[in-house]
Amino acid sequence: MKGDKNTVDCPVRDVAVDIAAPEGDEDTGGWGGLEFLPGHPLIWVLILSELVVFGAFLLVFSAVRIMDPAGFAADQLHLSPLAGGINTIILLTSGLCAVFAMRAVEHGKLLSCRVWLGATALLGLVFLIVKLLEYGAKIDAGITIDTSTFFTLYFLITGFHALHVVLGLGILCVVGIWPSRINIETGTAFWHMVDLIWVLVFPVIYLVR
Amino acid sequence: MMEHKTVSARTATWVWGVASTATILALAATFEQVPGGALIARFLPVVIIMAVASTKAWLILRFYLGLRNAQGSWTGLFAAFLIVIVVGVVFAQAAIILIDQ
Amino acid sequence: MKYQSQKVALYYIYGALTLFAAQIVFGVVAGTVYVFPNFLSEVLPFNVIRMIHTNALIVWLLMGYFGAAYYLLPEECETEIHSPKLAIIQFWLFMAAALAAVVCYILGIHEGREFLEQPLPIKVAIVVVALIFLYNSTLTLLKGRKTAISNVLIVGLWFVALLFLFAFYNPANLSLDKMYWWYVIHLWVEGVWELIMASILAFLMIKMTGVDREVIEKWLYVMVSLSLFTGILGTGHHYLWIGTPGYWQWIGNVFSTLEIVPFFAMVVFCFYMVWKGGREHPNKAALLWALGCSVMAFFGAGVWGFMHTISSINYYSHGTQITAAHGHLAFYGAYVMLNLAIFTYALPYLRGRAPYNQQLNMWGFWITTSAMAFMTFTLTFAGIVQVHLQRVLGMAYMEVQDQIALFYWMRLGAGVVVLIGVTLIIWSLVVVPRARPATGAVRQTGK
Amino acid sequence: MSERLTKSAARNIFYGGTIFFLVIFLGLTLQSHNYIVTTSTNEDELTASVVAGKHIWERNACINCHTLLGEGAYFAPELGNVWVRYGGKEDPEGARDSLKAWMQSQPSGIEGRRQMPQFNLSDQELDELVDFLKWTSEINTQGWPPNEAG
């Protein structure tokens, strides 16, 4: 890898900065407040962006529903709250596994950490399979992204979320290969964010009527 | 720099149990709904659903994402995020019911 | 100036300033045609004037980026440029291509996709220029120290070149044509150009505020991350009415609204660094441009962009003078001011003119910036009236234009003032006057 | 815990996030490409004449005065719906003749009026250009522009 040279000399410089700049109140490490959140600060830039994006999408969804409550209610009947509910529990469980992985790495148990990460990812995979079955059922019923505003937003929001699960799986693999504490913290932070978003998406799209 | 302490296995499992139960309850609340019923019957389930969702979200934020270790301003920011969403959704429901009246 | 090869930046800066002057002159001419429609109409039709106005802008901005890169790479990488000779050849090829394009346009030889009007051989020449630059700069980067600033800058310039390749793809289907056209235009100005902008601003902040590199480079990553996380899908706001699927409205609404965030971060970044650094850098003019750049980019690109990005508003405002208002202030604030900031910073060193008298330059800043702001307001009001009469009431286009003639007069006025301001700026940059010994007690100590 | 601060990790997250959004963007564009070809535009009617008309449009840089689907210069009227504005839906022959006559009569030379240059197009070229504008007016643009004024 080309970047490796950088990886090697960066920590050295970082340490030097820590010593040289002990004035420390608001930005010891130079990441501003992001410093105080678990995981790499930049992942929090991503997490915050994502939360804002999904937050905006959910608010837009609710606002558009005001215009056409009957149409939304009719379309919503095509969704399966049960599948959504199962998926919620699957993600919650995978989040729990991620916490166990984090605990394992804290105690230096790498093997156990990887096993828990594997379980996390496996549940993520199950989530995606359930999701694909749902989409398949919609498409079989002739419902696509163009069918109505409800389904445009349904496919956009849940699809965008599902892609985050895919990205999350990739991140879990990467941090599983290099399971340093900071890496696991970063990876699981992203995974919990995906979990968190689903917990909000599910009721707004599937349940509220 | 802060050392982030991960929650204990017990707490994590508790959080999981509460959140999962809440999910099942929320599902049940939806099936109980009667469309076109009394005002409160159309409004209350949404409030309950959103309260349950935000509680779950809050649990994840605090215990899984490790926010309970973070500064108050961060906690406040995320709380504000959740409040905005919950208020938005509940407000939309109120508007729908009012327009319908 | 620490490295001899930084001198090649001079070619690019002077070349850029030449085209800058041409751009402004043609802009004023175009503004004149708006109020005297018969002016030049037989000799130089409006479409050619406008083509030169926009093309000169894009080319001089690119030339400025190349110049900025050649200036800052040696300092960042702590090594001489791989081949200064190649850099000079690259400059002349680029300049020749730019001038050839102008001549071709005047003779009526051009292609017809907006901003990509260059005849094919000139497009090829531009690619060759880009390849020379990428070869030269990448080798410089590889042999020297690797910093976040130089990495981000070079990644930005690589993507500028890669995305330009879509200029060669012109499908017969107009909707496809437009969709891929935005790959070049949007992903340039609201994507990778922001990488260039953030990295140059970061470089200036390191040099002028004395804040630790560690701090600044971390901010740099936050800013460029925000830019691309929002900007790439923000392309959706161009895919509203050109035959693309309806879901782009939602994507465009959400992501392009957030495009304001990176610009806001840049304002906070610049002011915070200056405040935190607390060091009095002798080149106050450059600092003024850098701070001004972040602020005007925030207003022009951020606020004015947001104003009409929501699809239900854009449905009415699309393709009116509101778009023109946004375009003018966004390009000025984000990219023109950025280039002038780095020119103002670099020229005194390149020319060895310490202590440097910045009065004229700062006058130029205030005059030009105020006039651009005024022009933007004028066009915005013109646009609002136009939207009401044409898009809401359904009045015919030309009748509406007669109704807003007054605004075009005011715009021309603003344009003339811009020309005056730009003359001052260019004069101050080309001459780089020394401060008189009496007032020049503060010696320039920066490196 | 200084490992938290590595910039290489920052770089990786930046690149990773960017690639993620880029992949989504490319995927959606691909879907849009398909949508354009199959749904929103009439590929079957994209005849040689329409293609020739597009080249005439480009060769004469019409976009640097007019807008087409709202993009271009803002100096002259929108032409994405000019076919509709000229009544092409009800009376195609009449609209075609009016459009051609308009272009042939330029520049008007009237003092104080914006001048459109005379491009000296042959009768066939004029027909091709009109075909292109007609084809363009039939693109499904999500209901834009709001009215015939364009």
Side-chain angles (χ1 to χ4, degrees):
Chain A
M1 252 173 61
K2 222 169 61 181
D4 271 346
K5 235 168 108 191
N6 259 14
T7 326
V8 175
D9 59 32
C10 271
V12 180
R13 249 187 278 153
D14 285 321
V15 173
V17 171
D18 283 349
I19 299 164
E23 71 250 87
D25 36 22
E26 76 286 318
D27 72 345
T28 330
W31 285 106
L34 294 173
E35 187 60 29
F36 303 106
L37 295 168
H40 192 282
L42 204 64
I43 200 79
W44 282 91
V45 174
L46 188 62
I47 291 177
L48 288 166
S49 321
E50 304 283 19
L51 287 182
V52 174
V53 166
F54 278 101
F57 264 126
L58 292 178
L59 291 178
V60 164
F61 181 87
S62 301
V64 177
R65 201 168 75 91
I66 299 177
M67 319 282 181
D68 179 25
F72 268 53
D75 285 342
Q76 202 181 34
L77 290 178
H78 294 283
L79 301 187
S80 155
L82 192 64
I86 290 173
N87 258 349
T88 310
I89 293 178
I90 289 172
L91 271 195
L92 282 172
T93 316
S94 80
L96 182 66
C97 295
V99 174
F100 289 149
M102 188 61 222
R103 285 194 62 79
V105 79
E106 254 173 34
H107 296 114
K109 292 186 269 189
L110 283 192
L111 180 68
S112 155
C113 167
R114 281 181 172 147
V115 169
W116 282 116
L117 279 184
T120 312
L122 200 66
L123 286 165
L125 218 55
V126 175
F127 176 91
L128 284 177
I129 292 169
V130 175
K131 195 91 259 173
L132 285 178
L133 290 177
E134 260 190 272
Y135 285 165
K138 298 283 163 303
I139 289 161
D140 285 344
I143 297 168
T144 64
I145 194 162
D146 288 325
T147 305
S148 64
T149 309
F150 177 87
F151 280 110
T152 303
L153 288 172
Y154 162 78
F155 276 111
L156 275 183
I157 297 175
T158 59
F160 195 45
H161 177 265
L163 288 173
H164 279 82
V165 176
V166 175
L167 175 65
L169 290 179
I171 292 179
L172 288 179
C173 288
V174 172
V175 299
I177 296 171
W178 293 283
S180 73
R181 196 201 138 115
I182 178 72
N183 280 357
I184 300 290
E185 225 172 46
T186 306
T188 53
F190 184 84
W191 190 259
H192 291 314
M193 186 265 309
V194 174
D195 190 357
L196 169 72
I197 287 171
W198 179 254
V199 163
L200 293 171
V201 166
F202 167 60
V204 174
I205 294 189
Y206 286 74
L207 301 186
V208 168
R209 55 183 66 186
Chain B
M1 242 140 295
M2 289 176 61
E3 189 68 28
H4 297 286
K5 280 190 64 186
T6 316
V7 290
S8 71
R10 245 177 68 136
T11 322
T13 315
W14 255 103
V15 167
W16 174 81
V18 172
S20 302
T21 317
T23 307
I24 294 165
L25 287 179
L27 265 176
T30 354
F31 291 129
E32 286 305 305
Q33 263 183 87
V34 201
L39 207 138
I40 198 80
R42 295 178 63 193
F43 192 63
L44 206 59
V46 172
V47 175
I48 295 173
I49 286 166
M50 288 315 291
V52 169
S54 52
T55 312
K56 276 192 286 183
W58 190 239
L59 287 173
I60 293 175
L61 273 168
R62 266 185 85 75
F63 296 100
Y64 287 4
L65 269 166
L67 213 63
R68 72 210 161 95
N69 298 315
Q71 288 168 321
S73 51
W74 281 115
T75 324
L77 184 74
F78 286 101
F81 167 76
L82 288 181
I83 291 169
V84 166
I85 291 183
V86 173
V87 168
V89 173
V90 170
F91 179 81
Q93 181 71 8
I96 289 168
I97 294 173
L98 286 176
I99 292 168
D100 217 29
Q101 292 280 303
Chain C
M1 203 185 64
K2 272 185 185 163
Y3 297 89
Q4 270 312 309
S5 53
Q6 282 179 295
K7 280 259 184 218
V8 298
L10 269 178
Y11 287 86
Y12 288 85
I13 296 177
Y14 289 145
L17 289 177
T18 312
L19 290 168
F20 182 28
Q23 183 227 332
I24 300 302
V25 168
F26 276 85
V28 173
V29 173
T32 311
V33 176
Y34 261 91
V35 298
F36 296 116
N38 306 76
F39 178 59
L40 289 182
S41 66
E42 302 288 321
V43 200
L44 208 59
F46 183 85
N47 60 347
V48 174
I49 301 171
R50 189 204 188 238
M51 212 183 292
I52 298 176
H53 177 58
T54 55
N55 277 245
L57 168 71
I58 294 171
V59 172
W60 89 256
L61 292 178
L62 286 173
M63 206 172 258
Y65 299 153
F66 290 144
Y70 281 132
Y71 180 81
L72 67 78
L73 274 182
E75 285 190 18
E76 283 296 299
C77 303
E78 297 182 332
T79 178
E80 296 286 353
I81 288 168
H82 175 68
S83 163
K85 207 169 261 163
L86 210 51
I88 293 171
I89 294 173
Q90 181 212 337
F91 167 76
W92 285 114
L93 183 58
F94 197 22
M95 198 67 195
L99 296 178
V102 172
V103 172
C104 285
Y105 293 168
I106 291 174
L107 295 178
I109 306 165
H110 43 67
E111 292 178 22
R113 298 164 89 201
E114 200 184 359
F115 311 135
L116 303 177
E117 292 94 347
Q118 310 81 22
L120 190 65
I122 295 183
K123 285 205 181 85
V124 174
I126 293 174
V127 171
V128 174
V129 166
L131 286 177
I132 298 176
F133 173 80
L134 292 175
Y135 168 79
N136 212 357
S137 58
T138 308
L139 281 187
T140 311
L141 186 72
L142 287 180
K143 77 176 171 181
R145 178 177 71 149
K146 286 156 202 68
T147 65
I149 289 178
S150 52
N151 276 333
V152 170
L153 180 69
I154 295 304
V155 167
L157 286 161
W158 265 96
F159 272 92
V160 166
L162 282 177
L163 291 166
F164 184 71
L165 295 180
F166 281 93
F168 292 92
Y169 176 53
N170 183 4
N173 185 319
L174 182 73
S175 292
L176 290 182
D177 168 359
K178 283 178 176 289
M179 185 169 80
Y180 290 109
W181 179 78
W182 283 114
Y183 266 51
V184 189
I185 306 304
H186 174 92
L187 292 182
W188 267 19
V189 297
E190 291 172 63
V192 292
W193 282 24
E194 282 183 46
L195 303 193
I196 299 170
M197 175 176 171
S199 59
I200 292 178
L201 280 180
F203 173 80
L204 288 173
M205 287 302 139
I206 287 184
K207 295 293 168 179
M208 290 198 287
T209 65
V211 173
D212 201 278
R213 171 181 291 277
E214 286 300 315
V215 178
I216 285 181
E217 292 198 331
K218 280 160 189 162
W219 268 86
L220 175 63
Y221 273 120
V222 173
M223 291 186 295
V224 293
S225 297
L226 285 170
S227 297
L228 294 189
F229 295 170
T230 60
I232 293 175
L233 286 175
T235 320
H237 66 197
H238 298 297
Y239 290 170
L240 306 175
W241 326 115
I242 60 171
T244 30
Y247 60 72
W248 283 108
Q249 293 181 28
W250 306 105
I251 298 176
N253 285 352
V254 169
F255 282 91
S256 71
T257 300
L258 294 174
E259 278 187 56
I260 200 170
V261 177
F263 285 107
F264 184 68
M266 283 192 221
V267 179
V268 176
F269 164 73
C270 288
F271 279 85
Y272 178 62
M273 290 309 149
V274 171
W275 171 76
K276 191 178 153 77
R279 197 176 81 178
E280 283 282 301
H281 191 272
N283 195 338
K284 290 202 179 58
L287 198 59
L288 182 64
W289 280 109
L291 291 175
C293 168
S294 71
V295 173
M296 296 312 279
F298 171 69
F299 280 106
V303 177
W304 253 256
F306 170 68
M307 269 186 355
H308 59 139
T309 196
I310 302 292
S311 60
S312 49
I313 295 171
N314 192 268
Y315 182 67
Y316 293 100
S317 69
H318 182 49
T320 62
Q321 295 299 324
I322 291 182
T323 321
H326 162 58
H328 278 90
L329 196 62
F331 266 102
Y332 175 72
Y335 302 122
V336 171
M337 291 180 89
L338 175 75
N339 268 310
L340 293 175
I342 185 83
F343 294 173
T344 304
Y345 173 78
L347 273 172
Y349 297 132
L350 290 170
R351 297 275 301 274
R353 293 293 170 91
Y356 152 54
N357 181 348
Q358 305 144 44
Q359 287 308 317
L360 204 58
N361 187 306
M362 297 197 333
W363 272 103
F365 170 92
W366 288 109
I367 293 173
T368 314
T369 306
S370 321
M372 284 307 296
F374 183 74
M375 183 187 293
T376 305
F377 288 129
T378 319
L379 290 176
T380 308
F381 285 122
I384 292 169
V385 176
Q386 185 187 3
V387 165
H388 181 68
L389 295 180
Q390 184 183 327
R391 294 281 161 77
V392 180
L393 300 182
M395 199 189 273
Y397 177 89
M398 283 311 298
E399 280 175 53
V400 175
Q401 293 297 308
D402 290 339
Q403 297 291 318
I404 52 182
L406 177 66
F407 293 111
Y408 292 135
W409 276 102
M410 298 203 286
R411 192 262 296 270
L412 178 60
V416 171
V417 179
V418 168
L419 182 61
I420 295 169
V422 168
T423 313
L424 293 183
I425 296 166
I426 294 180
W427 180 262
S428 76
L429 289 177
V430 172
V431 176
V432 199
R434 276 180 205 273
R436 269 173 300 166
T439 53
V442 198
R443 255 185 56 80
Q444 211 152 342
T445 48
K447 41 195 170 359
Chain D
M1 285 282 293
S2 72
E3 65 168 339
R4 170 193 315 292
L5 297 169
T6 57
K7 274 185 296 181
S8 62
R11 199 185 50 204
N12 294 343
I13 295 171
F14 163 60
Y15 287 134
T18 300
I19 290 169
F20 175 65
F21 286 106
L22 209 56
V23 168
I24 295 180
F25 178 69
L26 291 177
L28 289 173
T29 325
L30 216 64
Q31 199 274 344
S32 301
H33 187 122
N34 186 46
Y35 173 87
I36 288 172
V37 174
T38 60
T39 313
S40 68
T41 67
N42 208 334
E43 273 280 308
D44 300 335
E45 285 180 21
L46 193 57
T47 57
S49 173
V50 174
V51 176
K54 184 166 184 277
H55 286 150
I56 295 166
W57 167 270
E58 288 168 357
R59 211 170 49 235
N60 294 294
C62 309
I63 198 88
N64 271 295
C65 287
H66 292 278
T67 49
L68 191 66
L69 305 186
E71 292 164 5
Y74 320 104
F75 184 70
E78 162 70 30
L79 295 187
N81 67 340
V82 71
W83 178 254
V84 181
R85 194 156 62 236
Y86 272 63
K89 272 184 180 163
E90 299 82 31
D91 176 15
E93 280 315 306
R96 180 176 296 273
D97 292 340
S98 316
L99 277 168
K100 284 164 71 177
W102 171 264
M103 287 187 268
Q104 280 164 334
S105 68
Q106 300 303 317
S108 71
I110 301 170
E111 195 60 36
R113 279 295 278 189
R114 291 184 191 171
Q115 299 296 315
M116 173 163 154
Q118 175 53 255
F119 291 106
N120 298 315
L121 302 180
S122 70
D123 197 57
Q124 190 199 344
E125 286 173 321
L126 285 171
D127 270 323
E128 288 164 344
L129 189 52
V130 172
D131 283 339
F132 169 65
L133 292 173
K134 174 176 181 289
W135 186 87
T136 302
S137 76
E138 286 156 4
I139 296 174
N140 173 2
T141 54
Q142 311 287 333
W144 194 88
N147 55 46
E148 272 189 10

